[in-house]
Amino acid sequence: MGGFGNFAISFSVICILAGGMTLFGFGLNTGGPAVMMWGWVAIGLFTLLLGLCLGEVTSAYPTSGALFFMADRLGGPRWAWVTGWLNLLGLLGAIAGIDYGCALFVGAFANLQWGIVPTPETTILIFAGILLLHGALNAAGVRLVNVLNSISVWWQLGGVLLIVGALTLAPVEHQSATFVFGHFNNGTGFTSPLYVAALGCLLAAYTFCGYDASSHLSEETTQAQTAAPRGIVRAIAWSWAAGFVLLAGMLFAIQDYDGTLGTSTGVPPAQIFIDVLGTGMAKGLLLVVIVAQLFCGNAETAAASRMVFAFSRDGALPFSSTWRRVSRRTRTPIAAVWLSVGVAFLLALPSLYSPTAYAAVTAINVIGMTPACAIPVYLRLRAGKRFRPGPWNLGAWSKPLGWISVTYVVVLTVVFCLPQTSPITGESFNYAGVTLIAVLFLAWIMWITKGKRDYKIPPLGSEAENRALAGEVI
């Protein structure tokens, strides 16, 4: 990959037409337009600061292991172990969230086109089919992934312009700026506006995940010490700007707030398209969104599989010798690809019986991915002068921006482990925190039984590492 390809994979994974659209209904219910817009501005700013800090560390350690390799070099094997497991949880949660969200939109299209009423059972079947598609595309090799990611950038930007343009120019009444930037709606059952606003930021926080993909693909990127950090920062910045335009355009176009939330399609953005543009145009715009989400899920599968490969290369996963194998024909870790989509399917299974499970899946993505991105930044701060910056660095801004980013991540992680609806029942329970605890417990058990004794990342580019990798090519 060149610099554009590296930027493209992070931009494709962030995918505002995935996160911003699939959690649109969650945003309308949890804080409403005011939280959606101002939350986007605030979360985007903090994410950009975190991305700048992560880019600095990426410049020093451009490897497929990315976050956990950085943690090892700056803090030792224990930090690497925890970071790797958190990163893996976040990446697998991202595949589940993106592809399940895509399945919801496919169900909405089927409802408009053929009158098929979406159910949890039909959605999970569509979800499984999308996972199989992404597994097959990634097994075909990184060249195909690179081409699809490059197309994805222009598809997303063009899609945002098409959607916003069509909604803005339509001859219907539009909402006021006061509504878009000031209307607060609370359908959660909680009484605290501050608590609800914090929960509502999940829309933005979930969308702004996955920019570490540029780091994971750095071993397949030319001039990675500068291209990978630039890819991270540019992907966040462009997504921040385009996402603001998309959300504003959608909110200005709302015709019936309650009708949008309670739409029979199961997807509030689809109802906005129908109300403003009619069924025919709505189906066309849904297809634009679906294709963008397919691009996004494919890019996320690529990033997750590289994480599985790199973590297995260092013997950190059960049956590592299987997951680190690389196809001689495509030079792709095919077993890691199929493991990634398989675990993603399991993470989304609770959606069969829980109407709030999708929000929990997206929270899993955030509470896994975001702390994993912050740990290398924290360790870089702790290392002080021991850290040797790469050619792309922040200079004197490194420490203040680093501490702001780390504090932000701590608060964010706590918030998204909290209940999201009231009253709290078995169906409405947020199992994201339980999943996080379960993964950390599994990581701890594996550390004391195996990792503490055997886990050691070889020096970057060492002869031992190259021999180990070459021996696993099949």
Side-chain angles (χ1 to χ4, degrees):
M1 293 184 176
F4 181 80
N6 187 275
F7 150 78
I9 191 166
S10 282
F11 186 81
S12 298
V13 170
I14 293 175
C15 189
I16 52 178
L17 288 175
M21 298 293 269
T22 54
L23 283 186
F24 193 85
F26 175 87
L28 290 178
N29 188 66
T30 315
V35 173
M36 294 169 73
M37 294 305 300
W38 294 113
W40 184 268
V41 172
I43 296 296
L45 174 60
F46 283 116
T47 304
L48 183 60
L49 298 183
L50 178 58
L52 287 166
C53 297
L54 182 63
E56 180 179 56
V57 188
T58 297
S59 180
Y61 306 108
T63 69
S64 290
L67 307 180
F68 80 85
F69 186 91
M70 302 172 195
D72 177 81
R73 288 299 175 261
L74 294 169
R78 288 188 181 182
W79 280 105
W81 190 269
V82 173
T83 303
W85 279 94
L86 285 173
N87 192 199
L88 186 59
L89 173 66
L91 287 165
L92 296 175
I95 298 175
I98 294 163
D99 284 0
Y100 191 85
C102 183
L104 291 172
F105 272 74
V106 172
F109 178 83
N111 177 257
L112 295 178
Q113 182 68 26
W114 300 292
I116 299 173
V117 179
T119 66
E121 291 76 17
T122 57
T123 301
I124 206 75
L125 288 175
I126 297 170
F127 171 58
I130 294 171
L131 288 174
L132 288 173
L133 171 64
H134 287 153
L137 289 174
N138 274 271
V142 73
R143 290 184 179 179
L144 177 60
V145 173
N146 187 30
V147 170
L148 292 175
N149 288 337
S150 298
I151 297 172
S152 172
V153 172
W154 303 112
W155 186 276
Q156 286 191 58
L157 293 175
V160 169
L161 292 175
L162 177 63
I163 291 170
V164 174
L167 293 176
T168 302
L169 296 176
V172 296
E173 185 177 351
H174 289 77
Q175 298 290 342
S176 66
T178 301
F179 170 85
V180 172
F181 294 98
H183 180 71
F184 182 84
N185 181 67
N186 180 11
T188 65
F190 295 108
T191 58
S192 170
L194 181 61
Y195 184 77
V196 173
L199 292 177
C201 288
L202 176 60
L203 182 152
Y206 167 62
T207 306
F208 282 114
C209 276
Y211 46 85
D212 61 315
S214 290
S215 294
H216 289 292
L217 273 292
S218 56
E219 288 186 27
E220 298 161 80
T221 301
T222 57
Q223 298 180 338
Q225 285 188 297
T226 54
R230 285 174 181 166
I232 292 171
V233 175
R234 288 172 178 171
I236 295 171
W238 276 99
S239 298
W240 190 20
F244 183 88
V245 173
L246 177 65
L247 289 178
M250 294 289 294
L251 291 171
F252 273 113
I254 290 177
Q255 302 298 299
D256 179 358
Y257 202 98
D258 292 334
T260 299
L261 271 174
T263 175
S264 61
T265 66
V267 176
Q271 191 61 50
I272 296 175
F273 297 157
I274 294 170
D275 291 343
V276 176
L277 301 167
T279 303
M281 279 288 291
K283 288 189 287 188
L285 293 183
L286 277 177
L287 285 177
V288 171
V289 175
I290 289 167
V291 172
Q293 292 171 345
L294 290 173
F295 280 134
C296 176
N298 191 63
E300 188 63 66
T301 302
S305 64
R306 269 45 174 198
M307 173 61 201
V308 171
F309 159 73
F311 216 28
S312 298
R313 183 169 60 181
D314 301 324
L317 295 181
F319 311 107
S320 287
S321 60
T322 298
W323 315 128
R324 68 185 178 219
R325 291 179 179 175
V326 177
S327 167
R328 186 180 299 277
R329 182 176 63 86
T330 64
R331 307 296 297 180
T332 300
I334 294 178
V337 169
W338 291 113
L339 176 66
S340 299
V341 298
V343 174
F345 180 77
L346 295 177
L347 286 176
L349 274 181
S351 62
L352 285 171
Y353 62 84
S354 172
T356 61
Y358 182 61
V361 170
T362 57
I364 286 172
N365 176 207
V366 176
I367 64 177
M369 190 84 73
T370 313
C373 290
I375 288 175
V377 175
Y378 165 72
L379 294 175
R380 179 261 176 274
L381 294 169
R382 197 181 71 162
K385 293 182 179 180
R386 186 166 55 87
F387 173 73
R388 295 183 178 179
W392 196 96
N393 61 82
L394 300 177
W397 288 99
S398 182
K399 286 188 178 181
L401 295 185
W403 285 117
I404 292 172
S405 299
V406 170
T407 303
Y408 156 71
V409 169
V410 171
V411 174
L412 195 72
T413 304
V414 172
V415 168
F416 295 139
C417 289
L418 298 175
Q420 296 175 342
T421 57
S422 179
I424 303 170
T425 65
E427 289 188 348
S428 64
F429 181 72
N430 180 8
Y431 66 88
V434 175
T435 304
L436 175 63
I437 293 172
V439 168
L440 291 177
F441 179 74
L442 175 62
W444 176 70
I445 292 295
M446 292 192 63
W447 173 259
I448 62 177
T449 57
K450 183 178 183 294
K452 189 176 182 179
R453 181 184 67 252
D454 301 331
Y455 181 65
K456 185 179 180 181
I457 299 178
L460 179 62
S462 71
E463 184 178 349
E465 181 187 33
N466 293 331
R467 283 203 309 269
L469 178 58
E472 293 298 334
V473 175
I474 59 172

